Amino acid sequence: MTYIQVKKFINLFALLRLMKNDPQFLEALGKRVQQLRTEKGFTQQELCDKAEIARSQLTRLEQGDLNITVATLNALANAMSVSPKSLLEF
């Protein structure tokens, strides 16, 4: 990772920590993940397999019921070939 990538990752982590208990943020994040997933043509199971996460985790995330880690956010972004930042653009 370059310095700029590390700095962006730290900023992303700080944002997630600030918003972790905000139900509106979690709902918006879930909707955004679902939107990108469907745009990319993935089923929930296909995305979970590619990101190596449990389907129940993705289901809860998309429903706005789960606060995910930065590692999970990064795994989902990589699996969909998007930047982690794009998952937060809602």
Side-chain angles (χ1 to χ4, degrees):
M1 271 188 160
T2 67
Y3 172 77
I4 293 171
Q5 289 172 318
V6 170
K7 186 170 176 152
K8 287 180 182 179
F9 193 73
I10 290 170
N11 290 341
L12 178 63
F13 180 72
L15 175 64
L16 288 175
R17 284 190 57 128
L18 288 172
M19 303 306 264
K20 71 179 184 178
N21 293 319
D22 182 346
Q24 291 175 334
F25 173 81
L26 295 177
E27 185 178 330
L29 175 61
K31 285 180 181 179
R32 179 65 176 153
V33 169
Q34 185 178 38
Q35 175 192 14
L36 287 172
R37 176 180 62 77
T38 56
E39 284 176 8
K40 297 285 183 173
F42 287 109
T43 65
Q44 281 189 338
Q45 191 60 56
E46 290 169 339
L47 180 57
C48 290
D49 291 345
K50 194 166 181 178
E52 298 181 353
I53 64 170
R55 183 164 179 213
S56 60
Q57 190 176 13
L58 181 59
T59 299
R60 290 183 58 216
L61 168 63
E62 288 185 355
Q63 293 172 346
D65 293 333
L66 181 68
N67 179 28
I68 61 172
T69 65
V70 172
T72 301
L73 185 81
N74 195 49
L76 288 167
N78 288 337
M80 292 189 282
S81 300
V82 299
S83 70
K85 179 183 174 189
S86 68
L87 294 177
L88 299 173
E89 293 173 341
F90 44 81

